[in-house]
């Protein structure tokens, strides 16, 4: 999600106890995380991109949210650090738990394979996993070749072949779903490609994380029933959906709170999405007393 584009209080009211921001102004995100204990906030800091790459110039991206990283050019190396090391170090200094890179080949320049490898290596040295926005032909493979740990969205601009999916699963790559950003409940071509890719990734044993890219258009602030239904449509069982929604990555679970849903779990999977929208975030001690 993107905290700069949404109402933080509405997220908690919608039953969400922890969030992962994948692109924003790092100082503002650090302040938010310090000021708010609910929801728990983890974040990547700025989008790291090739100079001129996405989302440079987008009016929704706050000032400072995009960090261009020149790579492979020795004249830019200063103070004993490469530009990639400097950019990653900046995000880490603001408390980032993960590094976000953009590979949007349909909208401007992207890191070449060597440049992306530089950023991933810098993140590894800093102890941070890497998440990539991949969009455009060949970008899923480029992210995998570089050792990117997770994809911010299920690929939707290309069909990922089974061989590449098998490699992603073997590498332990995680895919964040964000299916509902396509047509907001519609079932257009982009949604169909993403759903097919996610279904085959899950069937092959891949780790799926639930994410909505909240802030990207008109999406529910809390649990998104259309995203839940998309996960079910991709072949995830109800227990798999809950695991995708509660995975403690890249940080541990939130302290002192629990998510409580009144009533017993539904017997039918097609009732799961509606049931989950009734979630409430409550103090952990109150929940323990209730049960």
């Amino acid at each position: 999600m993107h905290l700069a584009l949404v109402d933080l209080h509405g997220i908690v009211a919608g039953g969400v106890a922890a969030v992962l921001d994948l692109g924003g102004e790092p100082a503002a995100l650090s302040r938010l995380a310090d000021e708010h204990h609910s929801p728990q906030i983890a974040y990547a800091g700025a989008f790291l991109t090739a100079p001129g790459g996405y989302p440079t110039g987008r009016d929704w991206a706050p000032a400072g949210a995009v960090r261009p990283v020149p790579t492979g050019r020795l004249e830019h190396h200063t103070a004993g650090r490469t530009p990639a090391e400097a950019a990653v170090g900046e995000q880490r200094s603001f408390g980032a738990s993960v590094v976000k890179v953009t590979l949007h080949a349909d909208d401007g320049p992207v890191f070449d394979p060597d440049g992306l490898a530089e950023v991933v290596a810098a993140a590894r040295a800093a102890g941070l996993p890497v998440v990539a926005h991949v969009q455009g032909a060949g970008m899923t493979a480029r992210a995998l070749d570089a050792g990117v740990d997770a994809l911010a969205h299920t690929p939707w601009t290309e069909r990922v072949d089974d061989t590449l999916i098998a490699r992603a699963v073997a590498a332990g790559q995680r895919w964040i779903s964000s299916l509902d950003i396509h047509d907001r409940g519609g079932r257009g071509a982009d949604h169909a490609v993403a759903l097919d890719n996610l279904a085959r990734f899950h069937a092959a044993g891949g780790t799926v994380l639930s994410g909505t890219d909240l802030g990207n258009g008109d999406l529910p602030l809390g649990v998104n029933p259309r995203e839940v239904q998309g996960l079910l449509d991709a072949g995830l069982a109800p227990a798999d959906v809950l695991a995708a929604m509660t995975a403690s990555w890249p940080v541990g679970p939130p302290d002192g709170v629990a998510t409580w849903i009144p009533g017993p779990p539904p017997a039918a999977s097609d009732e799961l999405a509606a049931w989950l929208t009734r979630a409430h975030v409550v103090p952990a001690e109150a929940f323990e007393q209730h049960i």
Side-chain angles (χ1 to χ4, degrees), residues 164-184:
L164 194 60
I165 283 178
R167 285 183 55 207
V169 172
Q173 192 176 71
R174 295 166 169 83
W175 286 11
I176 300 172
S177 58
S178 69
L179 296 168
D180 192 43
I181 59 173
H182 311 298
D183 305 320
R184 307 300 191 272

Side-chain angles (χ1 to χ4, degrees), residues 38-213:
S38 185
Q40 173 182 281
I41 298 171
Y43 51 93
F47 298 87
L48 303 191
T49 184
Y54 174 85
T56 302
R58 295 296 179 98
D59 56 9
W60 53 261
V66 181
R67 174 61 161 86
V69 185
T71 57
R73 299 165 61 182
L74 293 178
E75 65 269 28
H76 286 281
H77 294 206
T78 60
R81 296 195 300 174
T82 67
E85 289 168 341
V88 168
E90 290 167 12
Q91 311 320 307
R92 190 171 184 270
S93 72
F94 282 107
S97 300
V98 64
V99 168
K100 171 73 174 291
V101 299
T102 63
L103 298 172
H104 188 345
D106 295 334
D107 187 12
V110 296
F111 292 116
D112 64 22
D114 290 340
L116 181 59
E118 286 183 31
V119 176
V120 173
R124 289 278 184 277
L128 300 177
V130 180
V131 177
H133 171 118
V134 297
Q135 187 170 350
M139 293 301 99
T140 304
R142 183 167 301 185
L144 182 61
D145 290 343
V148 165
D149 300 279
L151 302 186
H153 313 284
T154 301
W156 76 95
T157 56
E158 60 178 345
R159 184 183 188 274
V160 182
D161 66 45
D162 291 340
T163 299
L164 194 60
I165 283 178
R167 285 183 55 207
V169 172
Q173 192 176 71
R174 295 166 169 83
W175 286 11
I176 300 172
S177 58
S178 69
L179 296 168
D180 192 43
I181 59 173
H182 311 298
D183 305 320
R184 307 300 191 272
R187 291 293 184 267
D190 289 346
H191 186 277
V193 172
L195 189 64
D196 172 64
N197 285 333
L198 190 65
R200 289 182 295 109
F201 178 73
H202 169 67
T207 299
V208 177
L209 304 178
S210 175
T212 62
D213 200 23

Side-chain angles (χ1 to χ4, degrees), residues 220-278:
L221 280 179
V223 175
N224 184 339
R226 298 191 301 261
E227 193 69 36
V228 173
Q229 188 58 52
L231 293 170
L232 293 168
D233 293 344
L236 278 72
D240 299 324
V241 172
L242 292 177
M245 296 178 73
T246 58
S248 299
W249 188 90
V251 298
D255 294 327
V257 296
T259 300
W260 174 67
I261 306 174
S269 61
D270 60 0
E271 299 173 356
L272 180 68
W275 180 70
L276 288 171
T277 62
R278 299 164 59 193

